[in-house]
Amino acid sequence: MNAPALSRLRDWLCPAVALFLAPSLFAGSYSQNFDATPTDGSAFASNNNSASIVGGQLKLTTAGLTGSVAGFRVPDLDPGRELVEFTVDYDVTLYLSSGTPADGYSVNFGAISSNNADLIGGQNGLPEEGMTMVNGLSVCFDTYDNGGGEASSIDAKANGTTVRGVYMESASSPGGAWTRAGGSYPFDNVKRHVKIHWEANTGLDVTITGSNGSPAAVMTDVPTPGFVTSQGNLFAWGARTGGATEDMIMDNVVITTVPSVPITTGGPVISEFLADNGGSLLDENCDSGPWIEIYNGQATAQNMAGWFLTDDAAVPNKWALPAGLTIQPYQYQIVWADSKNRTTAPNYHTNFTLSKTGGYVGLVNAASTVVSSYSFAPQSKDISYGKLGVAQTTGFLAVPTPGVKNSGIQSDGPPIAEEPVFSRVGGLVTSSFTLTMDPPVTAGAVARYTTDNTAPTSSSPVWPAGGVSISVSSTIRARYFPAVGLGGPVVSRSFTFLDSTLTNYNGTGQPFSSNLPIIVFNSFGTDIDNAGGSPGQRPFRSIYAVTLNTEAVNGNKAVITGPVDMQNRCGVHVRGETSAGFPQRPYAWEIWDNEEQDKAVSIFGWPAESDFV
């Protein structure tokens, strides 16, 4: 490939990332009446064409179409800002002339993907139970009533946990977190108004206006522990029909938001830096060097002519910021600290580098005054350091946020280095067992874990002393949290149970075997084949993969219960255009580490690699 072609490929793969836009200073607002296909950055999608605009309304699920998964998403209303309050108003119509209606819909706010395929993919697999979002908020309208153990309900979920539920029937309440309301969902083709209001200080309110025109409070001032607003969070609706069907039609969407007040610093400061970049942010050359974030926390723009960055307090004028660089009010600017020494917009690189073993970094103004500086200790990979909140406290930041307001967990100490040690590796299993873990050696540390494939946080359950019983296919992820400092590395164990169709193959009394190596993918219920999108836009779905190689001791065959060649967390999606529709689909397969980054490993004795087809 010639140099110009390489340059074009580089620019496509590694676009300019140094300049970030200023956040809006005004409350966000959005309205949509679906008189035409939206052109405002919102999107709707479905897996079987159930979603469509009909008569000036958006129909997400359609009576007569079973197995529908559909979604509607609005654009980011407050770029770069967290919210302290929002109100969502919309009209909804539910209808089914006969039969059993199912399954329902949800209204969601949180870390929702901007990829349209995710509206009908893994994030939206069971939308009546809320989209899959860490720290998100969902109001779930479960319309299915099987006449037995499951009754129709309205549930509020924060970070995936039910914080309040209201049964739509007079069935007995299952616990103190639930209240009771008479009546079932009306499938009468009458448009009803729903208002969802959340405020940081008071909690969640849900009001529904009935056919008589009177609003009824379904939930009032419900606390939402676990719900944390972050930059880039989006609003979205999700709907689904399972074995039964229903019309779910929405109209007249109006959303208003109140964003947080910008942090004021009186001028440019170093708000964050990352000295040990493991690939969380790449420059225009696809390099992962150290970076410095400058934040102009004032209401006026600042031209940076005469300003300097330095890694040596004795040499304050080490690298001059470009005279043509102006940072707008409450805007962020990334500068790479990697010794490349470039001053061409929009990618700026200093003539020094930050050391991950510790050092100094300072910002010097045109009057030769050091306005912001850090003398920092050894750093950890992909853990940034900087200021947080209105109080501008200083410390290690669990999640780097280049170009936006710092958020999340901050600590005086770096992450704990110790990793959990489980009693066994993951793989294919045939019987129940108890998974145990060694207690942490670090004094005061505690082990926490999850079972939903998310990384454990400081609020995740504590690992029980007796271990965790594993009786179904499961993924366990755990990490140690010190008394002071951030959580350490995440360690995962996934277990896929084999049933008798494989352990007693065709009634032979012998396990399944093959003359070819065996690859087992477990998506834990996520629909991989129908995660739509055009080639190049299909998102990778998280799976667990196990490979088994042929063995001479088994007659040069691979046996499903034999020794495991490789087991690891992975990502996969359907590959190809025409071939994607073949009965036997091709797949793109990536092997991942615990941060969803490529991990090169060897399978079947081949050279180590992370990407396969």
Side-chain angles (χ1 to χ4, degrees):
M1 186 178 291
N2 58 33
L6 281 171
S7 177
R8 290 193 299 271
L9 177 62
R10 181 205 68 198
D11 292 341
W12 178 74
L13 290 172
C14 303
V17 295
L19 190 61
F20 293 83
L21 297 179
S24 168
L25 303 184
F26 305 98
S29 62
Y30 175 88
S31 62
Q32 179 59 250
N33 58 15
F34 303 107
D35 286 342
T37 300
T39 58
D40 52 16
S42 61
F44 64 87
S46 59
N47 65 335
N48 60 1
N49 297 318
S50 65
S52 61
I53 294 179
V54 180
Q57 302 179 98
L58 175 60
K59 179 182 287 189
L60 284 181
T61 62
T62 301
L65 282 177
T66 61
S68 298
V69 179
F72 169 68
R73 182 195 65 248
V74 307
D76 188 352
L77 305 184
D78 300 275
R81 306 287 297 280
E82 298 127 355
L83 300 184
V84 295
E85 184 178 356
F86 62 74
T87 302
V88 179
D89 287 273
Y90 65 98
D91 293 333
V92 62
T93 303
L94 300 174
Y95 181 66
L96 184 65
S97 59
S98 62
T100 301
D103 277 271
Y105 75 98
S106 63
V107 185
N108 307 269
F109 178 73
I112 295 168
S113 170
S114 59
N115 190 316
N116 290 348
D118 278 340
L119 288 174
I120 56 175
Q123 188 171 53
N124 198 10
L126 295 175
E128 75 278 7
E129 298 180 7
M131 290 183 175
T132 302
M133 304 175 294
V134 176
N135 297 328
L137 180 67
S138 298
V139 180
C140 311
F141 299 84
D142 187 348
T143 62
Y144 181 57
D145 178 9
N146 65 5
E150 181 176 353
S152 51
S153 63
I154 302 175
D155 306 332
K157 294 184 177 181
N159 195 25
T161 300
T162 299
V163 294
R164 180 65 56 83
V166 178
Y167 270 115
M168 296 301 292
E169 298 186 336
S170 58
S172 59
S173 172
W178 300 75
T179 58
R180 187 183 305 172
S184 59
Y185 277 97
F187 290 86
D188 53 8
N189 208 26
V190 173
K191 183 179 291 187
R192 287 172 169 80
H193 186 74
V194 179
K195 178 187 289 289
I196 298 171
H197 175 260
W198 175 84
E199 190 172 350
N201 295 328
T202 59
L204 176 69
D205 306 319
V206 179
T207 303
I208 301 178
T209 301
S211 57
N212 61 359
S214 299
V218 178
M219 301 179 190
T220 303
D221 294 342
V222 176
T224 56
F227 171 47
V228 180
T229 68
S230 299
Q231 300 100 333
N233 283 176
L234 304 177
F235 292 94
W237 281 252
R240 185 176 77 100
T241 59
T245 66
E246 66 190 31
D247 281 339
M248 184 273 165
I249 305 169
M250 55 186 295
D251 199 5
N252 300 320
V253 175
V254 177
I255 302 173
T256 57
T257 65
V258 178
S260 59
V261 176
I263 292 174
T264 299
T265 60
V269 296
I270 298 175
S271 51
E272 182 182 10
F273 67 89
L274 183 66
D276 190 358
N277 185 357
S280 57
L281 186 68
L282 303 179
D283 69 7
E284 70 274 21
N285 299 122
C286 289
D287 294 332
S288 56
W291 51 261
I292 300 167
E293 176 189 79
I294 302 174
Y295 170 60
N296 181 22
Q298 62 182 356
T300 57
Q302 179 67 58
N303 181 269
M304 303 305 291
W307 288 60
F308 296 87
L309 283 170
T310 182
D311 67 338
D312 187 345
V315 187
N317 61 343
K318 194 160 190 180
W319 185 78
L321 285 150
L325 172 61
T326 296
I327 306 179
Q328 297 300 318
Y330 308 111
Q331 181 179 342
Y332 298 83
Q333 175 68 47
I334 296 298
V335 176
W336 297 95
D338 55 7
S339 298
K340 291 183 179 179
N341 195 19
R342 298 174 184 172
T343 57
T344 302
N347 302 294
Y348 304 115
H349 298 254
T350 66
N351 59 358
F352 61 84
T353 188
L354 297 182
S355 172
K356 62 185 178 182
T357 61
Y360 174 86
V361 61
L363 177 66
V364 181
N365 67 13
S368 299
T369 301
V370 178
V371 296
S372 179
S373 66
Y374 300 83
S375 294
F376 57 93
Q379 302 290 293
S380 298
K381 185 173 73 172
D382 289 331
I383 300 294
S384 61
Y385 195 89
K387 305 291 187 178
L388 183 67
V390 175
Q392 290 288 274
T393 56
T394 303
F396 292 89
L397 298 165
V399 179
T401 55
V404 295
K405 181 181 176 182
N406 296 342
S407 61
I409 300 172
Q410 185 187 64
S411 175
D412 292 336
I416 184 174
E418 188 179 359
E419 296 185 3
V421 178
F422 287 104
S423 58
R424 61 183 292 174
V425 298
L428 307 177
V429 293
T430 58
S431 59
S432 302
F433 64 95
T434 297
L435 181 68
T436 61
M437 182 199 303
D438 290 352
V441 175
T442 305
V446 63
R448 297 182 181 274
Y449 76 107
T450 61
T451 58
D452 61 358
N453 206 30
T454 60
T457 67
S458 57
S459 60
S460 297
V462 175
W463 184 264
V468 173
S469 177
I470 306 295
S471 57
V472 296
S473 295
S474 307
T475 290
I476 305 293
R477 306 188 72 189
R479 70 200 305 187
Y480 292 143
F481 286 85
V484 176
L486 301 174
V490 177
V491 176
S492 301
R493 290 292 184 269
S494 292
F495 304 97
T496 298
F497 274 74
L498 302 176
D499 63 23
S500 59
T501 62
L502 291 172
T503 58
N504 180 22
Y505 189 63
N506 279 342
T508 62
Q510 299 297 317
F512 172 79
S513 62
S514 169
N515 292 320
L516 296 174
I518 298 171
I519 301 175
V520 178
F521 286 169
N522 188 349
S523 66
F524 296 95
T526 297
D527 186 353
I528 301 298
D529 288 343
N530 293 315
S534 302
Q537 297 180 333
R538 297 174 184 139
F540 279 97
R541 302 300 186 190
S542 177
I543 67 164
Y544 174 66
V546 175
T547 64
L548 303 103
N549 207 354
T550 57
E551 300 282 341
V553 69
N554 294 320
N556 292 321
K557 289 187 175 183
V559 180
I560 195 70
T561 56
V564 170
D565 171 66
M566 185 279 300
Q567 56 86 22
N568 213 89
R569 299 179 69 249
C570 303
V572 69
H573 67 69
V574 174
R575 184 178 183 273
E577 188 165 0
T578 302
S579 58
F582 290 172
Q584 289 185 326
R585 297 175 174 88
Y587 294 93
W589 175 24
E590 287 187 347
I591 299 177
W592 290 347
D593 62 17
N594 273 297
E595 284 74 45
E596 279 71 55
Q597 301 297 316
D598 283 1
K599 176 183 177 180
V601 302
S602 172
I603 62 173
F604 309 135
W606 303 341
E609 183 53 83
S610 61
D611 296 87
F612 298 89
V613 176

